[in-house]
Each structure stands twice: as structure tokens, then as C-alpha cells.
């Protein structure tokens, strides 16, 4: 009797998962046959393996933030280690420090130099909206700065057609009531051109467009353009990029100003 109940529960779970995936496919108007799913997985693995993220990296560049018909520009420096350690320093056009943001994998720290304001809170509750005006989590910005999209855990993957994109578009989702993402590839499906992240209601959280330059056969991030669909846009031009550099863990911890 217990075995019979267990088999019924397993069967219901299988039906539920299959139905959920078919529902997601219907919403995205995406094919759900085994061949398409396998092709999509292979494409995703290919572009990620061809464009590996460095374990550590540093960079410096110019940033422009456009919001509410206002434009702020300046310099920006960053460093990252692994998937959750990040430090960003915003500088004025003359190189003066404006604000610092860091994550040590457990907490995030924000220091505004003009009024010496200091904030510290748990990583799980944090994003970079105070720094770049767009809600991007530290783990996501690390991926973006390395030239790769953040890839969510997914149970559904397929290929869809786009009226604006010339290359293949991958759609990934875990559950039908959760958020999803679209990854845009170039015409030859050789590298990633853009990524869109959506919340559970289908609203766009942000879109990131990538451009690269080739150095020693490696594809190096050259420009990053992030927009949130509500009029805010951040443009980052990479001047220098240093992969696989030594960074002390203490560099990712900001401390309150003295006095």
C-alpha cells in the first residue's frame, strides 16, 4: 500500500514538472521538443566555455549614468574574485573618490565619501541601485563585468525567434511563476551579445548589451550598456582590463570612516 502511494506521488510530480515546462514553453512561444532543448543546452555550454570568466580581475573605465533627463559621468574602477567578491569605486571626471561599494561574499559595504556615510548589510538583501541607479545584484555585476551574462538555475531551456535579433535567442526559466532570462547570441552563435533579466511578473529588471575586443585570441570586455526599461541607462567603457591578478581578501571589506 505504501509502495503504491509512493509510485502515485512520483507520477504526479513527473506530470506536474512536465506540465509546468509545457506551460512555460507556451508562454514564451518556444518549441519544447527534445531536439530543440538539447540544441539550446549545447549552445549555452558552448558560448560559456568559449568565453570563460577569470577567477579574479581588475578594471578601470569611464561610466555614464542617464536618469530622469540627467546625465552623470565619471571614472570607475573595479575588482572581483570568484562569484561573490566585488569592489567598485566611483570617481569624479578628475579622479576624486565619490563612493565605494564592496562585497566580501557575506556582507556588502557602501561608503559615500562626500558626507562619510557608511552602510553595511547582508549580501542576500543587496543590489547596486544606490551606486549605478539600476537594481543589479553584486553576483550579477561580477558576471557582467567579466563579459558574461549571469545564468540562473533553470529547469526549462529552449530557443525562440526575435524580430530584432539576428542570432539565436536562448530562454531560461526555473518555474513558471519565477523570473526568467533571455540570452542573445551573435549570428554565428559564437558569443553572447546581450542578456535580459525578467522578474516573476514578466517585467524587465534590466537588459545588458556587451561588446568585446580580441586580445591574444581572448575576448576581452570592451563596453557594457545596462538599461532597466524605465528610462535609466548605464554605459561603461572599459579602458583597461587585467584578468587573473592577485587580490587580497581584505580589499573587499570597507570600514567606517574614522572620527
Amino acid at each position: 500500500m505504501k509502495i503504491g502511494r509512493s509510485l502515485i506521488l512520483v507520477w504526479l510530480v513527473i506530470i506536474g514538472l512536465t506540465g509546468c515546462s509545457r506551460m512555460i514553453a507556451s508562454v514564451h512561444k518556444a518549441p519544447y521538443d527534445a531536439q530543440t532543448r538539447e540544441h539550446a543546452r549545447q549552445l549555452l555550454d558552448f558560448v560559456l566555455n568559449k568565453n570563460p570568466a577569470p577567477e579574479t580581475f581588475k578594471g578601470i573605465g569611464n561610466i555614464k549614468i542617464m536618469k530622469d533627463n540627467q546625465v552623470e559621468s565619471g571614472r570607475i574602477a573595479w575588482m572581483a574574485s570568484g562569484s561573490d567578491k566585488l569592489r567598485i569605486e566611483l570617481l569624479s571626471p578628475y579622479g576624486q573618490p565619490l563612493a565605494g561599494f564592496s562585497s566580501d561574499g557575506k556582507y556588502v559595504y557602501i561608503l559615500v565619501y562626500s558626507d562619510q556615510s557608511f552602510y553595511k548589510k547582508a549580501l542576500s538583501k543587496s543590489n547596486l541601485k544606490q551606486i549605478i541607479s539600476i537594481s543589479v545584484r553584486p553576483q550579477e555585476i561580477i558576471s557582467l563585468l567579466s563579459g558574461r551574462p549571469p545564468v540562473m538555475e533553470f529547469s526549462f531551456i529552449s530557443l525562440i525567434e526575435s524580430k530584432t535579433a539576428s542570432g539565436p535567442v536562448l530562454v531560461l526559466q526555473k518555474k513558471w511563476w519565477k523570473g526568467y532570462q533571455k540570452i542573445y547570441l551573435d549570428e554565428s552563435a559564437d558569443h553572447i551579445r546581450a542578456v535580459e533579466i525578467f522578474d516573476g511578473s514578466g517585467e524587465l529588471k534590466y537588459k545588458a548589451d556587451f561588446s568585446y575586443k580580441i586580445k591574444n585570441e581572448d575576448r576581452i570586455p570592451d563596453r557594457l550598456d545596462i538599461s532597466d526599461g524605465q528610462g535609466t541607462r548605464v554605459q561603461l567603457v572599459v579602458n583597461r582590463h587585467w584578468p587573473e591578478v592577485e587580490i587580497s581578501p581584505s580589499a573587499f571589506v570597507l570600514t567606517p570612516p574614522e572620527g
Side-chain angles (χ1 to χ4, degrees), residues 37-47:
R37 297 199 306 270
E38 182 59 27
H39 181 45
R41 286 193 184 92
Q42 290 177 355
L43 278 178
L44 180 62
D45 289 342
F46 173 77
V47 293

Side-chain angles (χ1 to χ4, degrees), residues 80-197:
S81 176
S83 62
D84 56 5
K85 294 182 177 63
L86 171 69
R87 180 163 179 176
I88 291 176
E89 293 287 329
L90 287 180
L91 312 171
S92 74
Y94 307 103
Q96 299 168 320
L98 299 176
F101 173 97
S102 72
S103 164
D104 61 1
K106 189 174 181 180
Y107 297 100
V108 299
Y109 311 83
I110 299 175
L111 177 58
V112 181
Y113 296 107
S114 59
D115 60 7
Q116 298 292 283
S117 301
F118 180 78
Y119 308 89
K120 175 183 176 181
K121 55 185 176 180
L123 174 63
S124 60
K125 301 178 180 179
S126 305
N127 60 57
L128 274 72
K129 193 173 181 68
Q130 283 183 273
I131 299 295
I132 63 171
S133 299
I134 293 179
S135 295
V136 183
R137 294 185 299 125
Q139 300 94 323
E140 294 174 322
I141 203 69
I142 291 173
S143 292
L144 296 174
L145 288 172
S146 71
R148 290 161 54 105
V151 179
M152 63 171 51
E153 292 183 11
F154 63 90
S155 58
F156 172 88
I157 184 170
S158 188
L159 288 164
I160 58 175
E161 294 183 1
S162 170
K163 295 180 180 179
T164 58
S166 56
V169 181
L170 300 167
V171 58
L172 285 66
Q173 190 162 350
K174 188 171 184 179
K175 297 178 181 179
W176 71 268
W177 62 89
K178 295 288 188 179
Y180 63 94
Q181 67 181 136
K182 294 179 181 179
I183 298 175
Y184 294 78
L185 308 183
D186 71 314
E187 291 184 30
S188 61
D190 181 67
H191 60 273
I192 296 156
R193 299 299 305 168
V195 60
E196 290 178 333
I197 307 293

Side-chain angles (χ1 to χ4, degrees), residues 68-81:
D68 299 330
N69 297 318
Q70 295 183 341
V71 178
E72 296 183 20
S73 59
R75 299 280 286 165
I76 183 172
W78 60 90
M79 62 177 69
S81 176

Side-chain angles (χ1 to χ4, degrees), residues 204-222:
L204 178 69
K205 292 176 64 178
Y206 66 86
K207 178 181 180 181
D209 292 274
F210 303 91
S211 67
Y212 309 88
K213 59 185 177 183
I214 305 300
K215 183 178 180 181
N216 298 328
E217 298 184 355
D218 293 326
R219 188 169 279 110
I220 305 298
D222 184 52

